[in-house]
Amino acid sequence: LGGMGNIMDAMKKAQDFSKDAKKLQDELKETILEVKSDDGMVTVNITGQQNPISVEITDELLAMGTAAVNKSVTEAVKAAHAQSLANMTNKLGSLTSAFGLPVPPQ
């Protein structure tokens, strides 16, 4: 009967993990990160699940021409994606380590 207790504990742990993972998904969906390009002329808003919400470009950057806009927007979008992914990985790592599971690679 001792083995049955271990199975029940494992099932309870799996249910708790599933519930906490769902909470984390909801939290990441609602999290909005604001990331600016290095020059500060582009602002990207992205969710914690790497879904872009908006991109704002200053009039000053628009006046600089297509090449400057392309460069700055690309830089800002890449930075926003990287920041969102790092945030998600960090939160997922906290969740998995709380349950004694391996932390996902960075």
Side-chain angles (χ1 to χ4, degrees):
L1 198 65
M4 194 64 144
N6 289 341
I7 292 172
M8 296 303 285
D9 287 344
M11 288 177 58
K12 171 79 169 104
K13 194 173 187 180
Q15 287 175 337
D16 290 346
F17 180 81
S18 180
K19 187 175 10 170
D20 287 356
K22 173 70 172 116
K23 279 190 224 174
L24 177 58
Q25 281 183 326
D26 292 342
E27 177 187 326
L28 290 170
K29 191 185 308 181
E30 298 300 319
T31 299
I32 307 287
L33 302 170
E34 181 178 284
V35 181
K36 293 186 179 292
S37 59
D38 287 342
D39 59 16
M41 293 188 212
V42 176
T43 303
V44 175
N45 289 304
I46 191 168
T47 70
Q49 293 181 316
Q50 295 83 57
N51 293 322
I53 301 296
S54 66
V55 176
E56 298 171 17
I57 303 168
T58 64
D59 290 336
E60 181 183 352
L61 179 59
L62 289 173
M64 297 170 86
T66 304
V69 171
N70 288 344
K71 180 178 180 281
S72 196
V73 168
T74 300
E75 169 193 305
V77 169
K78 284 181 178 179
H81 183 266
Q83 188 173 328
S84 179
L85 190 58
N87 178 60
M88 182 184 71
T89 302
N90 182 43
K91 289 183 182 290
L92 184 58
S94 296
L95 174 66
T96 57
S97 65
F99 282 89
L101 300 171
V103 176
Q106 295 281 333

